[in-house]
Amino acid sequence: MGAVVNPRLLRALLPAFSLAVLLAAIFWLQPRTMTYFGLNLLLNLAIPIVLATIAQMFIICVNDLDLSIGSYVSLTACIAATWLNDEPVVGVAALALCVLVYAGLGALIHIRQLPSIVVTLGMSFVWLGVAILVLPTPGGEAPEWLRGLMTWKPEFVPFPIIASVVIAVVVHVGLMWSPYGAVLRGVGGNARAVERAGWSLLKAKVIMYALAGIAGAFAGMALVGLTTSADANIALRYTLLSIAGVILGGGEFVGGRVSPVGAVIGAMTLTLAASFLSFLQLNPDWQIGAQGAILIIVLALRVLINRAEGRR
Amino acid sequence: MSAAAAALARLDGVEKEFGAVRALAGVDLTIAAGECVGLVGHNGAGKSTLMNVLAGTLAPDRGTIIIAGTDLSSRYSVVAAHAAGVRCVFQELSLCPNLTVAENARIMHPHLTGLKWRARAGQLITEALDRIFPGHGIPPGAVVGDLPIVQRQMVEIARAFTETDVPARLVILDEPTSSLDALVAGQLLAFVRDFAARGGSTVLISHLLGEILSTASRIVVMRDGKVVAARPAAEFDRVSLVAAMGHVTNQMAGTAATTTARRGEVPRVRARPRPGETIALTAHQGEIVGLAGLSGQGQTRMLLRVFSREDAEVSGSVALVAGDRQTDGVFPLWSIAKNITIGSLKRMLKRGLIDAEAESELAEAWRRRLSIQTPDMRNPILSLSGGNQQKALFARALGSDAEIILMDDPMRGVDVGTKREVYDIIREEAARGRTFLWYTTEFDELMHCDHVYVFREGQIVADLPRDQVTEERVLHASFRADD
């Protein structure tokens, strides 16, 4: 290990570095964001995106891809803004059913050896349809306790930062530190090897999909807590944002190489990128393209680091 | 009943079919405690299938499996095998490349949990590595994907000997030394003998007959899905073993004279391992040039450098026969024919599209030439046994119009018969003017080369013309004087 800078370490630090650069740029453009309330406003919308990204990360960890997470989060948001508010028991039961369906999708994909992209793409229309049935017109109301939680203003550290850290730590401990977490990640690395060691792949996939369903349901609830009302199309863009977040956070599409901390940071970076572009007073028509450009720059940096690693 | 009681594992009348192929045609095998059984046979003889049955990863169609006196036939599985202390090191690596060495050890042991599991797993695998491969230098926190293939293989072997709640009673080693160099392979074989002396049993599959003869206490020979001979190792020698496997012994065939004098003309390949090195590798038309030395000493990098023409003077088109089939050889979802013809697509174009007839003709021609064992070249490549997959990769390179063929230790885990066939074809093709650059870890293969370069630590340390190539010289150059 005689190298001056270890490329592996560099790659692990890249997501945090990108976030820091973006944050510094925002502070420089708009120094007022450097306050408690500024940060709160800046990062508020990051919480549901972080949760959706974590959900996507569970799926990517077992070499699948979830194209339905956006419409799923929309549905859970609609449930949270209607049933969960009016009749909490029904609401909780409905959300639990959603998680069960997610787990069932994992089982279906594994047993029938179906491509996850096809199954989840199909399911995205199902989730959307159900969301429209639950809430035909935009509206509904967030439960009081949920709104209270999402607008909570603890002393010193803004809530979005606390929430992100808690999410990152909990998932990191569960997936990266726990003994069964190693098995789950192993499924993404070499499923056959895990199976040959006597583990059930079916169980692993079901668990990962169920975890994704739980994280997605939390994302919908968090979103409703912030916006106070819902809409069947509220989170459709989360599908691509969550994939971008996982990749931006150092994850890879195949091979079980994911990082919960990285995914959280990646999701925050994407949220901040949007704010950064508004502060630049860029024409909104160009903003999505510029967001893409930020993504390309960060991923290009990663390729450069990977190349340096390969050359060693 | 004393014989049955002493038997650790007993398979009776085990049969297994894959479609039309009868992989196991009623195999009986008994393994006693403290015995090292050498299992030999040419590719496709059913060795790996039999070991998969014994390891619990493949359910046989018929037959009984008795482990430690209990009939487990109906409920045998990997879990049951592990509970009985049966472990297997599979031919293709079974590690998760995204996990660390310690985490891979944990995957073998369901009961390795609790707060300090990572430290205990690291300790477990390090102890096993220390016991088997002293001086291995593999940190338990290293990510397996970052390790070279030699160390990955060492980790996988050591993992099979780690023990938590169940002791390792029977360890199956399927081609364990195929990626190891002589030194490390020697450490492993010494450990296997020691393991047997302490009452542990092993099944050793290897195509290096010397390893089998020196290590196994009993040798079982398989042919066409059946056991054809099972006798104490002392009753076999190299010749009788090869005879039992069903191949004609013709030990001197490889050493038939070819031109040794280097032609005066301009070489086709001229490359240095690093800029500024004194000895450069040169290869002329019609030459077979060997790249020798311990594994992983820069030979593969040299081949890749010639392939990409990086700091190398190369005249002529180049094709590569990959050594690591799984990662850079086969297209696993394609048919055998498509795997072969991918190297020659340009020649098979008809009005800008691929001519299906020319494609199947080329594939068929190479099936006959290399006797690839399959009923239909349109079958998926993974339906072939390992050795036959390798033949398909040879066909891809030889079937192209490349003038220079690079071979990255392609004979790993290939049986003697297949090897002979391929050697003959290599010599034939060289006589037709093709140039071969051949990295090999097996000494016998160097005897087919016109010129041999020995690599050590990324440098060429010896440049031996054919008449000077002896095992002693190559070994001498491979190890530093202070080793």
Side-chain angles (χ1 to χ4, degrees):
Chain A
M1 297 286 135
V4 186
V5 191
N6 184 346
R8 175 170 288 281
L9 189 70
L10 212 59
R11 197 171 68 185
L13 288 180
L14 184 62
F17 175 74
S18 323
L19 181 67
V21 167
L22 207 54
L23 209 54
I26 288 174
F27 287 162
W28 181 67
L29 279 173
Q30 187 53 270
R32 262 173 293 178
T33 54
M34 224 185 307
T35 60
Y36 181 96
F37 287 103
L39 275 176
N40 212 1
L41 277 176
L42 212 53
L43 291 171
N44 237 337
L45 271 175
I47 303 174
I49 298 179
V50 161
L51 285 163
T53 305
I54 290 291
Q56 186 68 259
M57 186 203 70
F58 285 132
I59 306 290
I60 287 181
C61 184
V62 287
N63 294 350
D64 285 347
L65 203 59
D66 186 355
L67 295 185
S68 67
I69 192 72
S71 47
Y72 175 77
V73 172
S74 298
L75 169 64
T76 54
C78 289
I79 293 174
T82 53
W83 296 341
L84 195 63
N85 189 34
D86 307 334
E87 285 165 84
V89 180
V90 180
V92 170
L95 290 175
L97 184 68
C98 288
V99 172
L100 274 182
V101 173
Y102 241 81
L105 288 180
L108 179 75
I109 286 168
H110 175 72
I111 294 169
R112 307 293 310 163
Q113 291 291 305
L114 300 170
S116 60
I117 292 179
V118 176
V119 174
T120 55
L121 184 64
M123 280 311 289
S124 72
F125 298 108
V126 175
W127 297 128
L128 189 61
V130 177
I132 291 170
L133 289 178
V134 172
L135 192 65
T137 51
E141 201 178 340
E144 199 55 49
W145 57 270
L146 198 54
R147 215 163 58 213
L149 175 70
M150 293 310 291
T151 52
W152 180 41
K153 296 203 169 50
E155 279 186 75
F156 308 120
V157 187
F159 177 64
I161 295 179
I162 297 179
S164 301
V165 169
V166 168
I167 295 167
V169 168
V170 166
V171 180
H172 187 84
V173 168
L175 193 64
M176 312 302 279
W177 281 2
S178 81
Y180 192 62
V183 177
L184 289 174
R185 280 180 292 130
V187 173
N190 186 346
R192 211 157 155 214
V194 174
E195 194 176 26
R196 277 171 167 179
W199 299 95
S200 161
L201 291 185
L202 176 67
K203 188 176 150 197
K205 278 238 164 147
V206 166
I207 287 176
M208 283 309 229
Y209 272 81
L211 286 173
I214 292 170
F218 281 145
M221 288 162 67
L223 188 56
V224 165
L226 288 169
T227 58
T228 68
S229 67
D231 158 13
N233 297 313
I234 192 166
L236 291 189
R237 67 197 181 97
Y238 279 19
T239 301
L240 293 182
L241 274 181
S242 65
I243 298 173
V246 173
I247 303 305
L248 208 54
E252 276 167 38
F253 280 116
V254 287
R257 286 172 206 268
V258 293
S259 153
V261 176
V264 169
I265 292 176
M268 291 175 92
T269 309
L270 284 171
T271 320
L272 285 182
S275 312
F276 170 69
L277 295 169
S278 342
F279 286 132
L280 272 183
Q281 289 173 340
L282 205 65
N283 183 341
D285 293 343
W286 290 98
Q287 283 202 6
I288 292 183
Q291 218 166 347
I294 293 180
L295 244 167
I296 291 173
I297 291 170
V298 176
L299 293 184
L301 273 178
R302 190 163 95 190
V303 171
L304 284 179
I305 293 173
N306 280 352
R307 243 184 237 170
E309 195 171 12
R311 208 173 292 148
R312 273 200 319 165
Chain B
M1 288 305 284
S2 69
L8 186 61
R10 213 173 116 188
L11 302 178
D12 270 331
V14 169
E15 294 178 35
K16 181 74 194 174
E17 276 142 36
F18 296 109
V21 182
R22 199 148 185 235
L24 295 177
V27 174
D28 303 325
L29 180 71
T30 310
I31 298 155
E35 184 178 44
C36 175
V37 176
L39 187 59
V40 294
H42 61 87
N43 282 323
K47 305 183 299 286
S48 290
T49 311
L50 183 65
M51 289 307 107
N52 271 302
V53 168
L54 186 55
T57 46
L58 196 66
D61 297 334
R62 275 168 294 279
T64 53
I65 302 167
I66 299 166
I67 307 285
T70 333
D71 187 344
L72 296 173
S73 314
S74 52
R75 53 198 160 92
Y76 201 57
S77 66
V78 188
V79 179
H82 278 214
V86 178
R87 321 281 184 75
C88 184
V89 176
F90 292 95
Q91 194 174 354
E92 18 1 310
L93 293 173
S94 295
L95 296 174
C96 297
N98 59 328
L99 303 185
T100 64
V101 171
E103 285 169 341
N104 269 292
R106 141 74 183 146
I107 285 189
M108 275 281 283
H109 298 288
H111 299 291
L112 191 56
T113 54
L115 272 181
K116 296 247 168 99
W117 69 272
R118 198 182 293 269
R120 280 196 291 139
Q123 202 185 350
L124 206 60
I125 188 78
T126 306
E127 275 169 14
L129 278 166
D130 287 344
R131 254 187 304 151
I132 307 170
F133 307 109
H136 54 84
I138 303 171
V143 175
V144 166
D146 292 347
L147 299 175
I149 191 165
V150 186
Q151 295 194 336
R152 270 186 263 172
Q153 181 99 40
M154 287 157 74
V155 169
E156 176 149 19
I157 292 167
R159 186 177 73 156
F161 288 97
T162 54
E163 295 177 342
T164 47
D165 47 337
V166 183
R169 292 198 183 92
L170 169 61
V171 179
I172 301 160
L173 300 164
D174 192 349
E175 293 290 348
T177 57
S178 58
S179 308
L180 305 180
D181 57 54
L183 186 73
V184 181
Q187 288 180 329
L188 171 66
L189 297 177
F191 177 80
V192 165
R193 283 186 288 263
D194 183 49
F195 184 67
R198 283 182 285 120
S201 309
T202 44
V203 176
L204 178 65
I205 301 181
S206 175
H207 285 303
L208 300 176
L209 301 182
E211 286 182 1
I212 297 276
L213 288 165
S214 69
T215 310
S217 48
R218 195 159 62 91
I219 297 179
V220 174
V221 183
M222 283 186 76
R223 191 165 64 204
D224 302 329
K226 273 182 263 189
V227 170
V228 292
R231 289 200 297 275
E235 294 177 22
F236 280 107
D237 59 18
R238 214 184 173 86
V239 179
S240 63
L241 206 50
V242 173
M245 283 158 63
H247 287 284
V248 188
T249 54
N250 188 3
Q251 289 223 312
M252 296 311 288
T255 48
T258 39
T259 44
T260 55
R262 304 211 91 173
R263 299 171 180 87
E265 66 204 65
V266 186
R268 253 189 184 164
V269 177
R270 191 176 162 79
R272 290 172 204 280
R274 274 191 293 235
E277 288 288 334
T278 42
I279 307 179
L281 180 146
T282 53
H284 295 79
Q285 187 178 3
E287 252 183 354
I288 305 173
V289 173
L291 283 66
L294 302 178
S295 63
Q297 301 292 315
Q299 297 97 330
T300 301
R301 198 174 303 161
M302 175 62 118
L303 292 181
L304 293 179
R305 189 171 270 210
V306 171
F307 188 76
S308 56
R309 295 160 198 258
E310 187 189 323
D311 303 324
E313 299 156 34
V314 181
S315 54
S317 46
V318 182
L320 175 82
V321 183
D324 193 347
R325 272 200 296 282
Q326 312 286 337
T327 53
D328 21 70
V330 298
F331 295 97
L333 299 180
W334 290 10
S335 69
I336 308 164
K338 286 214 156 56
N339 262 288
I340 292 176
T341 54
I342 180 73
S344 326
L345 284 185
K346 266 188 208 147
R347 282 192 288 133
M348 294 184 304
L349 291 185
K350 196 166 148 191
R351 284 182 239 113
L353 299 173
I354 299 170
D355 181 0
E357 222 164 87
E359 200 181 38
S360 60
E361 247 168 56
L362 181 76
E364 200 51 42
W366 281 99
R367 176 170 86 130
R368 264 178 271 121
R369 183 121 189 250
L370 287 176
S371 55
I372 297 171
Q373 281 157 21
T374 177
D376 192 335
M377 292 299 273
R378 283 170 301 186
N379 285 347
I381 183 97
L382 294 183
S383 69
L384 294 178
S385 68
N388 277 302
Q389 283 179 31
Q390 197 66 48
K391 280 187 186 173
L393 292 188
F394 266 105
R396 182 195 295 167
L398 297 174
S400 74
D401 48 15
E403 290 150 311
I404 301 161
I405 313 268
L406 311 175
M407 301 193 287
D408 183 10
D409 205 2
M411 301 296 196
R412 251 180 232 161
V414 174
D415 72 292
V416 182
T418 308
K419 279 180 181 170
R420 290 248 165 79
E421 289 165 25
V422 175
Y423 296 156
D424 289 341
I425 288 180
I426 288 173
R427 272 204 310 279
E428 242 171 70
E429 292 288 326
R432 286 189 197 170
R434 275 183 158 164
T435 304
F436 287 84
L437 259 60
W438 188 356
Y439 162 39
T440 171
T441 46
E442 282 174 41
F443 179 77
D444 293 347
E445 295 184 346
L446 294 177
M447 302 313 290
H448 298 272
C449 298
D450 299 314
H451 209 89
V452 171
Y453 293 94
V454 183
F455 282 67
R456 191 179 71 211
E457 291 162 16
Q459 285 173 291
I460 297 177
V461 290
D463 172 0
L464 305 170
R466 179 193 190 84
D467 49 351
Q468 288 178 26
V469 176
T470 62
E471 188 158 15
E472 200 192 341
R473 268 171 193 267
V474 172
L475 278 177
H476 192 75
S478 300
F479 291 96
R480 259 201 294 204
D482 54 22
D483 278 343

